[in-house]
Amino acid sequence: MHKDDLHIFNFIIQGRKTMSFWPFETLPDRPELPRDDPKQLRDDLALIHLKDEDERQMLAKATFSWKMPNALKQAQSQRGQRANVLAANRASTEAWVRFLTTGAMDGTPPEGKDTAPLSNEDWVRAHPSRPIVTSALTGNQLLVAANGRSSTLEVAAPVKRRPLKLVATLNTGTPVQVKELEDAFFDKLGRTSFKRSAFRTLMGDLLRWRAVQRSAETLGEP
């Protein structure tokens, strides 16, 4: 038997699990309970070891059934619908990919909100130790994440490889000019497949997240 002032339920993946519940008032005579304040539990005694006869008496007072509230039933039913399942899958994937890129103990750097926009003449580079991460989502969506932040791109099938190649180029850590990246991205690509404004927005996001930074070539250093 376990007694606590917090309620934690662990749901098993396979098999069955039976849980027994007692109102707190069922245990007033237990020696483990404080005498002066029955609302408080002793920190050093969390487990009660029962003798066989004592256990049978306690189980006789237990409540084994629990009825799911209607509101929870309705919520579970809605989550089971395809559109909601896909949305939940996208949300969980986005959360985990952002967590993956937070840098562990180093933490997430603050956004560079006052950073000047990139121009075609700028040179940029990413840091190989904190790479930009991509993950395919449902519905022709591609997640691009770095430093605990992410952006979702709508990409048609012919365009999918372009963002992946862009990220791979940046993740080498080699300085590259923005114009060169943009020209390579749109080389032989139809005008309606992906907007240049969306490309510039993505590059701006990466700069603001500090996933890329202006390199020495931009600053005129040798």
Side-chain angles (χ1 to χ4, degrees):
M1 263 183 68
H2 176 78
K3 61 185 179 69
D4 207 331
D5 57 351
L6 300 176
H7 304 286
I8 301 173
F9 295 91
N10 297 311
F11 294 95
I12 60 176
I13 298 175
Q14 185 176 2
R16 299 181 61 185
K17 180 176 182 178
T18 301
M19 292 182 288
S20 306
F21 303 90
W22 291 265
F24 195 81
E25 294 75 15
T26 307
L27 310 173
D29 298 328
R30 297 299 309 181
E32 295 86 356
L33 294 182
R35 298 298 90 191
D36 298 331
D37 189 356
K39 294 182 180 179
Q40 298 296 325
L41 297 174
R42 289 182 180 175
D43 296 334
D44 57 343
L45 289 172
L47 291 176
I48 303 175
H49 299 281
L50 301 175
K51 297 179 180 179
D52 291 343
E53 181 62 28
D54 198 5
E55 182 177 0
R56 283 193 291 270
Q57 293 178 4
M58 292 300 297
L59 289 176
K61 301 177 183 179
T63 300
F64 291 92
S65 61
W66 178 70
K67 185 178 180 181
M68 182 180 292
N70 290 332
L72 183 55
K73 285 184 179 180
Q74 184 178 4
Q76 293 283 43
S77 176
Q78 291 176 350
R79 283 182 62 87
Q81 297 175 6
R82 176 176 172 78
N84 293 327
V85 170
L86 294 177
N89 180 65
R90 284 195 298 268
S92 61
T93 301
E94 291 170 2
W96 275 109
V97 173
R98 285 195 296 267
F99 177 77
L100 178 69
T101 62
T102 54
M105 297 299 292
D106 293 334
T108 300
E111 287 193 38
K113 295 182 179 180
D114 298 328
T115 305
L118 290 170
S119 68
N120 285 342
E121 289 71 33
D122 284 331
W123 291 71
V124 294
R125 65 185 296 271
H127 203 293
S129 65
R130 301 192 70 162
I132 304 164
V133 176
T134 60
S135 179
L137 301 175
T138 56
N140 288 330
Q141 292 184 328
L142 181 70
L143 183 72
V144 180
N147 289 336
R149 298 176 176 87
S150 67
S151 179
T152 302
L153 304 178
E154 293 284 348
V155 288
V159 188
K160 270 191 174 180
R161 294 183 181 274
R162 305 297 177 107
L164 300 180
K165 184 177 180 181
L166 168 67
V167 169
T169 300
L170 291 170
N171 282 339
T172 63
T174 302
V176 59
Q177 197 170 30
V178 174
K179 184 179 186 304
E180 181 182 342
L181 291 172
E182 186 170 346
D183 289 344
F185 190 99
F186 289 98
D187 183 40
K188 299 179 182 179
L189 188 64
R191 293 185 178 182
T192 59
S193 300
F194 198 85
K195 295 182 179 179
R196 289 184 180 267
S197 59
F199 173 87
R200 297 188 185 107
T201 297
L202 175 61
M203 291 300 300
D205 287 341
L206 295 174
L207 181 67
R208 192 176 73 255
W209 302 340
R210 302 181 190 272
V212 300
Q213 53 185 299
R214 288 181 171 88
S215 66
E217 286 81 356
T218 294
L219 301 176
E221 298 177 5

